[in-house]
Amino acid sequence: MLISLPCFVCGASSEAFTNALYAGQNKMYTIQVPCTATISLSGDQGSEFSLYAKKASSTWVPSAIHVTRNADVSSPKPASSQKIHLESGEWFVVVESMKGFAEYTIVIDKECPITTTCYGGPCYNQADCAPAMVYRDNIQTGFLNAGESKTFAYRLTGNRSFVEWVLSGPCDDSAPLMQTSSDVNLFTTRNCEPDLDLFVYEACNPKYNPCVAIAADIGLGSNAYVGISHPDEQKLYYVKIYGKRGSGNYRLTARSYTGKDMMIAGIKPSEYAGYIASVTDVKAPDDLNVTIPVPPTAYTIKAAEL
């Protein structure tokens, strides 16, 4: 059974629902989370309930079984009381009874504190929920075959607190705003034939020098993401797209921010020094001791000042 829970946010809000289940039964709820939410479950004494939550990645509504088998967040073990925390977005939450027959109550506490960034879900109190402001975008598009690469150069001007490169293959034609680590995971696991890798170098052009990447995303899929906190304004950054398998179009969005207290990809730049990537300190294919043909497309493009 699918139940849609309305979301009326004014800084913080709370909703409660009571139901009962036999062992093996479950009930699914659709929950819109504007910023963050805590789901608390309390059942009869001796009852055993489990909580499962999966974040929506499209308009498709999954079955309760799909949510339990592919949950992004779940309770550690069956118990009469449970608690899970959810990031912003649309979530499918399943309550499953593991023992006997028992009543339960779930309480959904939604919070959107002042100065907390919030987007991707309904936010009716704009004073409490303000999205992170993008300072500048630069978009590069093209086509790569397996074994080909393109490198773009970027110079960061002014006081940048964060810069990110969002690479999308044929799956997507735009770069979504990344507020949480779940947003990054959902985006980078998409695969539409070509397998593309993304490498970032600091003050070293991989086309002409034996460079070592400072960050990279070489996971399976057509999309990739790398973000860097507190980039060096005095150095050029070189970003290489490498076609590992297959062929297809790509779209590379370079995006810079200046705000200090915003939340991007699950971090606050003011509190974090480093970069985000699925793999770090890796070498690009042509940095290894392997002879790899350099195709005509392997050239550097002076992309933009960010």
Side-chain angles (χ1 to χ4, degrees), residues 6-294:
C7 178
F8 300 99
V9 180
C10 187
S13 64
S14 180
E15 297 172 286
F17 296 86
T18 299
N19 217 310
L21 294 172
Y22 285 97
Q25 288 186 321
N26 58 53
K27 191 172 293 293
M28 186 163 75
Y29 302 83
T30 301
I31 300 173
Q32 299 287 345
V33 180
C35 289
T36 61
T38 299
I39 312 296
S40 303
L41 179 148
S42 57
D44 294 337
Q45 185 175 5
S47 62
E48 292 186 1
F49 290 98
S50 291
L51 276 176
Y52 304 88
K54 183 167 182 60
K55 193 173 185 180
S57 58
S58 66
T59 57
W60 175 65
V61 178
S63 65
I65 293 178
H66 181 83
V67 172
T68 59
R69 292 178 178 176
N70 302 275
D72 296 318
V73 181
S74 61
S75 51
K77 61 181 181 179
S80 59
S81 63
Q82 301 286 5
K83 183 175 291 186
I84 59 175
H85 302 280
L86 303 181
E87 300 169 336
S88 66
E90 181 180 38
W91 290 83
F92 300 103
V93 176
V94 172
V95 178
E96 185 173 51
S97 176
M98 315 300 290
K99 179 181 178 181
F101 175 82
E103 290 189 349
Y104 69 87
T105 298
I106 59 170
V107 178
I108 305 162
D109 292 314
K110 303 175 186 178
E111 296 181 351
C112 203
I114 295 176
T115 73
T116 298
T117 59
C118 171
Y119 48 82
C123 218
Y124 301 109
N125 187 344
Q126 295 302 318
D128 290 341
C129 300
M133 298 301 294
V134 176
Y135 181 82
R136 185 173 295 165
D137 269 359
N138 175 263
I139 299 173
Q140 300 290 333
T141 59
F143 184 92
L144 284 178
N145 292 305
E148 294 182 340
S149 66
K150 280 192 179 179
T151 303
F152 301 91
Y154 301 86
R155 183 180 299 280
L156 301 169
T157 59
N159 182 22
R160 301 290 180 269
S161 60
F162 196 84
V163 60
E164 62 186 3
W165 288 273
V166 185
L167 173 65
S168 57
C171 301
D172 303 271
D173 58 2
S174 62
L177 292 173
M178 303 290 191
Q179 184 185 10
T180 68
S181 57
S182 294
D183 294 336
V184 176
N185 291 335
L186 287 170
F187 178 77
T188 56
T189 53
R190 300 194 66 181
N191 191 15
C192 300
E193 300 301 334
D195 187 1
L196 304 176
D197 288 344
L198 186 65
F199 302 86
V200 177
Y201 306 84
E202 187 179 72
C204 187
N205 188 339
K207 174 64 176 67
Y208 304 108
N209 300 282
C211 305
V212 176
I214 62 169
D217 185 342
I218 60 173
L220 177 66
S222 302
N223 295 350
Y225 176 88
V226 172
I228 300 175
S229 291
H230 314 299
D232 192 330
E233 300 172 24
Q234 306 302 316
K235 298 178 180 178
L236 279 174
Y237 285 87
Y238 295 89
V239 178
K240 173 190 284 185
I241 307 171
Y242 177 71
K244 188 160 55 181
R245 284 184 292 272
S247 60
N249 295 313
Y250 67 82
R251 180 187 181 95
L252 178 64
T253 300
R255 181 177 290 158
S256 64
Y257 300 83
T258 57
K260 296 295 184 182
D261 294 321
M262 59 198 172
M263 186 72 71
I264 303 174
I267 70 161
K268 280 188 176 182
S270 61
E271 301 173 358
Y272 184 90
Y275 47 78
I276 301 171
S278 60
V279 180
T280 60
D281 293 327
V282 301
K283 293 184 176 181
D286 57 353
D287 298 332
L288 304 177
N289 295 322
V290 178
T291 301
I292 296 178
V294 179

